[in-house]
Amino acid sequence: MREKREDKRIICVGNRFVDSDDIGPQVYDYLARRDMPGAVSLIDGGLMGLDLLRFVEGARRVVFVDVLHGFAPPGRPVVLDRSMVLEERPTGYGHDGGLACLLRMLPAVCESDLPEIALVGAEPPIGPDVVEQLADMALSIATRERYGRERNTAIDAPQPGAP
Amino acid sequence: MSQKTVLQLPLNRVEGDLDVKVEVADGCVADAWCSGTMFRGFEQILAGRGALDGLVITPRVCGICGTAHLTAASRALDAIAGVEVPDNGVRLRNVALMVEHVQSDVRHGFLMFMADFANSAYRKHPLYEEAVRRYEPFRGQAVRETVRETKNVLEIVAILGGQWPHSSYMVPGGVVSVPEQNDLLQCLHLLRQYRRWYETRVLGCEIACWNAIKSASDLDAWLMEKEEHRESEIGFFLRFSEKAGLFATGKGHGNFISFGSFDLPRQTQVKPGKDGDRRLVPAGFARGTTVEAFDSEKIAEHVSHSWFLDSREARHPFDGETRPYASGFEGQKYSWAKAPRYDGVPAETGPLAEAVIAGRPLFIDLVRKSGPSVLVRELARLARPALLLEAAETWLHEMAAGDGDFYNPPEEIANGVGAGLTQAARGALGHWVKIEDRKIVHYQIITPTAWHASPRDDGGVRGVMEEALVGTPVKDDQNPVEIGHVVRSFDACLVCTVHSLAKAGRAARMRG
């Protein structure tokens, strides 16, 4: 796959057959019904784990959507950047690593310039309103012109519509 | 009086959720229990669905071996439909499954198994520093190379099947994707690129040179012959493992099973893995190195120690049930895995079983001399691509050279019974399917790890990994790296469960 460097991608991760792991697929389904801006690709990341590397390479910015545990009360959207994910220190490759493993390994194996990375998610259970919020946040991060450090330091993401 | 210690070990770097409990007495494992800790229930998900739904759902059983599940699901429906897959359909299915095998074999080796060589337990091993340089998680040279190379070779499955993992391009009668010449040439390029890396870095020699090794003494001579051999990943593995004593641990029951895989097309240059078997990887069952003809009717699943409703006797998968029952029988039932047995006995599967059943001289000699072991089992896995890569290249050439069909349309699948048996990267995989009125009424899956990580059977006989753990020396019960070696030598896969990132310090485990 050859992508233009200005490409931005939303990669929704998870297992749609497991209730506690289907936030990514729910957001994917929601976004798939909407018109996406031309520069944004929507990708169903499923359970690909390390194999998402191919979809990360060549992008300017990648927004992952996945389940997150322990960063905020259940149902509250959270945004993390790559450095914040790495603070959680995955111990090695395997299915106990998930996205943290991929992002930790990225500088050593990515065969393009490193893209900007964001991870949007929430702890289950969530309702349709949170799915919509997560989708809006992912799209907003993907499409904004600049993705500055000041955005990355926030743990609890601002609620859409909040002052 | 001996002192007994019980270690409960949630194993990482296995695919999914596996708990191993061992009882250590006098510095050795005296007994072991393997427990799959998650109920999947794919059999229930499939019951009542359309006849073809297994083609979409079962590749999602696992993010590592989806092509194998798709192969098994398709073969079961081929059998029910009574349809013959045309030669190019056979070739394309084979090549995709081979690619899944060869990437899995090296990822397991260098990202999971050899990561233990960089464990501090080996800090006094003379090759420790070099092991860290090669296999340190995320940073080791072999780790980085493996991620890059396997990423590239998997593009072949994406080209042939639209995506990897979780692809659904195989259907009863063949495949739905017909590659163009350019697609096949691209696949050949990717395969050759992978082969170059495998020969240069993993083997340290050409595949033909490796395949000329026929005995343990040949292997010793090969290792001493050139620096390239000693410094290759296999050469390093042999040198490190020898000093770590891995030839003496992980023996197990000594039975082997293969369902066979990679049917040969009617017209092909690829030779069968064994005379009289029209497959590259033959089917069979072996006690030690004595091979018997394979009979799928001899497979039965026991549930007396599994969290399922008991049946009066072990059942063939066409008659088996998957009805969870997790209350009662405390102390007896301890796993969500069933206990498959062949002719009443446990059997290991995977690359070593394939090599023994095919009668490959090097592995026959190694098993006869010292039995199965961690070292021999992992060596068979690291060496398997040497068999598969050449055949995959031949089949890509044959597809590119001809105009044959990829698909033979079957009649509507309304009623019938069929089994889809194949070899996944980790070993024998079977789907047993019954269709009535265009609906699935019965679906049973036995995975390779069910053979390996099974609990005890109705006779109280340990599962394969449980038996292999007995006798394992444990030097430090706070860092029992030896137990990890034995378990990982089986490349255990209790399948994908939940991907999530959990904040540090929280009890939740990161897994997926």
Side-chain angles (χ1 to χ4, degrees):
Chain A
M1 185 172 67
R2 287 285 173 267
E3 303 289 349
K4 289 181 291 187
R5 181 65 187 147
E6 61 269 26
D7 274 356
K8 297 161 181 177
R9 298 171 197 164
I10 298 173
I11 303 179
C12 301
V13 176
N15 185 346
R16 62 176 66 245
F17 295 132
V18 178
D19 284 348
S20 56
D21 193 28
D22 70 348
I23 287 179
Q26 284 194 66
V27 171
Y28 176 86
D29 291 344
Y30 178 85
L31 287 172
R33 292 192 293 269
R34 292 172 54 168
D35 290 332
M36 299 290 288
V40 179
S41 303
L42 178 64
I43 295 164
D44 179 1
L47 304 178
M48 292 179 69
L50 194 56
D51 296 299
L52 289 170
L53 177 59
R54 174 59 77 198
F55 298 99
V56 173
E57 289 176 332
R60 177 182 160 198
R61 185 178 303 155
V62 177
V63 183
F64 292 99
V65 183
D66 196 4
V67 170
L68 294 171
H69 281 108
F71 292 90
R76 184 186 297 179
V78 173
V79 181
L80 306 175
D81 71 2
R82 180 172 164 269
S83 65
M84 296 162 77
V85 174
L86 294 186
E87 287 172 9
E88 307 313 319
R89 296 191 178 282
T91 55
Y93 171 74
H95 273 206
D96 52 346
L99 272 182
C101 178
L102 171 71
L103 298 181
R104 174 88 182 268
M105 202 173 273
L106 203 54
V109 297
C110 184
E111 295 185 291
S112 70
D113 292 340
L114 278 182
E116 300 164 340
I117 299 284
L119 172 55
V120 174
E123 181 167 335
I126 64 169
D129 55 329
V130 179
V131 172
E132 191 174 335
Q133 288 172 28
L134 291 169
D136 288 343
M137 288 164 57
L139 203 52
S140 168
I141 294 170
T143 54
R144 70 182 52 191
E145 185 59 30
R146 298 178 64 82
Y147 179 62
R149 290 288 305 173
E150 71 280 6
R151 292 292 308 156
N152 300 342
T153 54
I155 296 280
D156 287 355
Q159 301 294 304
Chain B
M1 184 175 172
S2 66
Q3 184 178 355
K4 287 185 178 177
T5 308
V6 174
L7 305 178
Q8 187 104 23
L9 307 164
L11 266 285
N12 64 0
R13 274 181 282 121
V14 297
E15 305 293 352
D17 291 16
L18 171 67
D19 277 354
V20 175
K21 186 170 82 171
V22 295
E23 186 179 280
V24 179
D26 298 328
C28 284
V29 174
D31 208 344
W33 297 263
C34 293
S35 175
T37 58
M38 174 170 262
F39 173 66
R40 304 298 308 290
F42 268 82
E43 288 90 346
Q44 277 89 343
I45 290 173
L46 285 156
R49 289 180 176 268
L52 302 183
D53 282 13
L55 300 171
V56 176
I57 291 175
T58 65
R60 273 115 176 129
V61 169
C62 180
I64 302 293
C65 51
T67 305
H69 279 285
L70 180 60
T71 302
S74 303
R75 289 175 67 86
L77 293 172
D78 289 340
I80 295 170
V83 65
E84 187 169 8
V85 179
D87 275 2
N88 274 343
V90 173
R91 291 185 184 104
L92 193 147
R93 286 183 180 187
N94 287 349
V95 169
L97 186 57
M98 286 170 155
V99 167
E100 190 170 89
H101 279 39
V102 300
Q103 64 84 27
S104 178
D105 290 344
V106 299
R107 276 193 190 181
H108 176 267
F110 307 134
L111 275 61
M112 299 188 207
F113 185 88
M114 257 82 104
D116 282 335
F117 290 0
N119 186 303
S120 61
Y122 286 116
R123 62 190 178 280
K124 293 182 180 172
H125 191 294
L127 298 174
Y128 175 67
E129 287 184 12
E130 176 64 7
V132 171
R133 189 187 72 76
R134 291 176 186 238
Y135 309 124
E136 183 184 8
F138 304 114
R139 293 163 55 162
Q141 181 182 326
V143 171
R144 286 179 281 134
E145 286 183 12
T146 298
V147 172
R148 288 198 202 105
E149 297 297 330
T150 54
K151 174 196 70 178
N152 291 334
V153 78
L154 280 167
E155 277 193 38
I156 293 174
V157 186
I159 291 169
L160 298 178
Q163 68 177 66
W164 188 89
H166 313 318
S167 329
S168 293
Y169 53 95
M170 297 181 199
V171 292
V175 294
V176 293
S177 52
V178 179
E180 303 286 342
Q181 281 285 324
N182 286 346
D183 297 331
L184 294 167
L185 292 174
Q186 179 69 9
C187 290
L188 272 167
H189 167 72
L190 290 165
L191 194 74
R192 286 172 181 152
Q193 191 178 39
Y194 187 81
R195 177 177 175 161
R196 265 198 303 278
W197 173 74
Y198 179 76
E199 291 183 323
T200 306
R201 305 290 298 178
V202 181
L203 294 181
C205 65
E206 292 185 354
I207 283 175
C209 170
W210 174 261
N211 286 340
I213 300 171
K214 304 294 186 193
S215 65
S217 56
D218 282 357
L219 186 62
D220 290 340
W222 173 87
L223 193 60
M224 297 304 295
E225 183 186 355
K226 289 182 180 176
E227 187 170 356
E228 289 92 330
H229 299 174
R230 289 188 292 279
E231 292 304 319
S232 72
E233 299 303 338
I234 279 191
F236 185 81
F237 164 78
L238 289 167
R239 290 187 291 132
F240 192 103
S241 300
E242 182 77 19
K243 283 192 168 58
L246 300 189
F247 53 85
T249 58
K251 291 194 184 310
H253 293 287
N255 304 321
F256 301 97
I257 191 167
S258 164
F259 287 173
S261 62
F262 309 121
D263 291 348
L264 299 191
R266 284 160 297 183
Q267 303 292 325
T268 185
Q269 297 297 312
V270 176
K271 301 284 185 271
K274 193 170 192 174
D275 289 344
D277 192 314
R278 286 287 300 167
R279 285 169 287 209
L280 182 66
V281 173
F285 172 77
R287 301 174 202 269
T289 56
T290 304
V291 180
E292 304 169 12
F294 174 70
D295 177 1
S296 66
E297 291 301 311
K298 292 183 177 178
I299 298 168
E301 291 184 289
H302 301 228
V303 294
S304 57
H305 291 76
S306 311
W307 285 311
F308 296 99
L309 274 182
D310 279 320
S311 51
R312 275 181 296 181
E313 56 193 10
R315 290 186 174 181
H316 187 274
F318 270 136
D319 304 317
E321 296 178 314
T322 304
R323 290 196 288 165
Y325 181 74
S327 58
F329 298 100
E330 281 80 5
Q332 178 177 332
K333 291 179 179 286
Y334 60 93
S335 179
W336 285 112
K338 296 180 183 178
R341 298 291 186 259
Y342 182 87
D343 204 13
V345 299
E348 81 167 85
T349 183
L352 178 58
E354 292 170 6
V356 168
I357 288 163
R360 303 189 74 193
L362 170 61
F363 292 96
I364 293 290
D365 192 43
L366 289 169
V367 170
R368 281 182 180 158
K369 285 201 163 96
S370 58
S373 65
V374 168
L375 188 156
V376 177
R377 197 171 288 123
E378 194 61 24
L379 179 65
R381 182 170 295 109
L382 291 172
R384 182 167 59 179
L387 171 72
L388 302 185
L389 287 169
E390 289 199 322
E393 193 167 337
T394 301
W395 280 328
L396 282 170
H397 273 299
E398 289 177 355
M399 279 191 277
D403 297 323
D405 292 332
F406 288 79
Y407 176 57
N408 179 18
E411 300 291 325
E412 184 183 27
I413 298 173
N415 296 286
V417 173
L421 306 185
T422 189
Q423 288 290 108
R426 287 156 188 78
L429 170 67
H431 289 199
W432 285 264
V433 186
K434 293 181 183 175
I435 306 290
E436 289 177 8
D437 293 331
R438 302 173 186 80
K439 300 282 188 192
I440 296 167
V441 294
H442 179 89
Y443 213 110
Q444 283 288 306
I445 298 172
I446 300 181
T447 62
T449 297
W451 290 97
H452 289 151
S454 84
R456 282 147 171 80
D457 59 27
D458 294 354
V461 176
R462 295 185 192 97
V464 168
M465 289 196 321
E466 292 175 337
E467 183 68 19
L469 282 162
V470 173
T472 303
V474 178
K475 289 178 186 160
D476 177 2
D477 61 14
Q478 298 303 304
N479 184 16
V481 66
E482 304 90 345
I483 292 173
H485 288 322
V486 174
V487 171
R488 282 190 250 286
S489 75
F490 290 100
D491 196 359
C493 175
L494 283 138
V495 301
C496 307
T497 52
V498 178
H499 285 259
S500 77
L501 179 71
K503 191 161 179 59
R506 191 183 150 100
R509 295 167 57 198
M510 287 193 290
R511 55 198 168 92

